[in-house]
Amino acid sequence: MGTDAADAPLSLDEVRWRLDAIDGELLKLLDERAALASSVAAAKRAAGDDGFGLRPGREAMIVRKLLATPRKAANDALVIRIWREVMSDNLARQGPYHLSVWGGKDATRTVELARLRFGTAPRMQVLAEPKDVLAAAKTPWGVGVLALTPDSAWWGRLLAEPKLKIFAALPCLSAWGPQAALAVAEVEVEPTGGDQTFWVTDSAKSASAIVEALGQDGVAAEPLAEAGGLKLFSLVGFFMPGDERLTRAPGKLTGVIGAAPTPFDV
């Protein structure tokens, strides 16, 4: 009798009551978390740390841990969207967090990807030139999001900007579409256990020949973009700038310009 009562479906009124109760609990927890974000900022200032609080490696590991947690109904996209918003709001409460976006001829998709990755909390501006976005990304608490297009080698400028690094590939779910934009900031990139490294070369060899040469040295690579006499590749794994395998790779002007977690659903 008790089992039958437990297995009986809930009425619509009971479902709505439960949803209202969960909404109330969620709001309390979100409010508590937002308050803790302000406390984090105060603790950092007290310790003399007023630098950019963005930690892309830590964020990636948090999201991976959440996605690995058993769930009954919430899909990966829902989990990622909610926690990206929460973490973005947390960061915006610690300092003047802001986004600058360049999307090529049509910025709509890049703006969408930027909001999916960085949430609605940071102030956003859309700029007409990649160089303006890179300049804005070098200002305090700045992040730049730039599209990968066949007519711009903006990423090649990072060879001369060692502090400015690619730290995110957008979108972060392959189910949301192919890799279409990259995010840059003056942050430290760290290995997360599932990464891709971004590497540039001026080699005149074909992209396939460069991929083959890297492969012979144990480096798996995929071409991402080519413009202005430069080629951009995604390397499987986390590579330090001085890695010997990359110093042997084709090209006279080469370099690692950042790294990012691979899409979470790969």
Side-chain angles (χ1 to χ4, degrees):
M1 182 174 176
T3 301
D4 291 341
D7 293 340
L10 297 173
S11 69
L12 181 57
D13 285 342
E14 289 172 324
V15 172
R16 286 172 173 167
W17 177 87
R18 182 63 182 142
L19 287 172
D20 288 345
I22 291 173
D23 286 345
E25 290 301 313
L26 283 173
L27 180 57
K28 289 180 182 178
L29 291 172
L30 283 172
D31 189 50
E32 182 179 355
R33 199 184 195 287
L36 286 173
S38 299
S39 298
V40 167
K44 285 183 176 180
R45 285 193 296 269
D49 179 7
D50 58 355
F52 195 7
L54 179 63
R55 298 293 181 270
R58 172 170 165 74
E59 287 186 1
M61 287 186 278
I62 289 173
V63 172
R64 286 198 185 119
K65 182 177 180 180
L66 291 168
L67 295 180
T69 302
R71 287 162 276 147
K72 293 181 179 179
N75 60 34
D76 288 357
L78 176 62
V79 172
I80 290 172
R81 289 293 295 116
I82 289 175
W83 261 269
R84 283 299 185 199
E85 288 287 351
V86 169
M87 290 188 290
S88 178
D89 179 79
N90 181 301
L91 191 57
R93 291 174 183 275
Q94 297 180 37
Y97 185 24
H98 61 279
L99 298 175
S100 299
V101 177
W102 176 78
K105 295 178 181 178
D106 182 7
T108 304
R109 176 57 173 163
T110 311
V111 168
E112 177 190 28
L113 292 175
R115 284 304 187 198
L116 283 171
R117 172 59 178 80
F118 298 103
T120 57
R123 175 176 56 83
M124 177 188 288
Q125 61 178 343
V126 179
L127 301 177
E129 298 292 339
K131 62 182 178 62
D132 297 328
V133 172
L134 296 178
K138 292 191 290 184
T139 62
W141 292 73
V143 167
V145 177
L146 302 98
L148 289 172
T149 66
D151 57 351
S152 176
W154 62 262
W155 30 268
R157 294 173 179 262
L158 301 185
L159 290 171
E161 298 279 359
K163 291 184 178 180
L164 198 59
K165 299 181 181 69
I166 294 171
F167 69 90
L170 284 61
C172 62
L173 279 183
S174 60
W176 288 344
Q179 193 163 271
L182 301 172
V184 302
E186 289 192 344
V187 294
E188 291 301 319
V189 291
E190 302 171 316
T192 69
D195 303 284
Q196 58 180 320
T197 297
F198 300 97
W199 178 76
V200 174
T201 178
D202 66 348
S203 173
K205 292 184 178 181
S206 68
S208 59
I210 296 171
V211 168
E212 182 179 356
L214 288 166
Q216 291 176 352
D217 217 355
V219 179
E222 177 185 355
L224 289 182
E226 181 175 351
L230 297 174
K231 297 180 179 69
L232 173 65
F233 292 83
S234 169
L235 313 180
V236 177
F238 188 91
F239 289 81
M240 298 298 291
D243 192 291
E244 290 186 3
R245 292 168 292 180
L246 300 183
T247 62
R248 293 192 292 265
K252 295 181 180 180
L253 178 64
T254 68
V256 169
I257 57 172
T262 55
F264 293 121
D265 56 351
V266 170

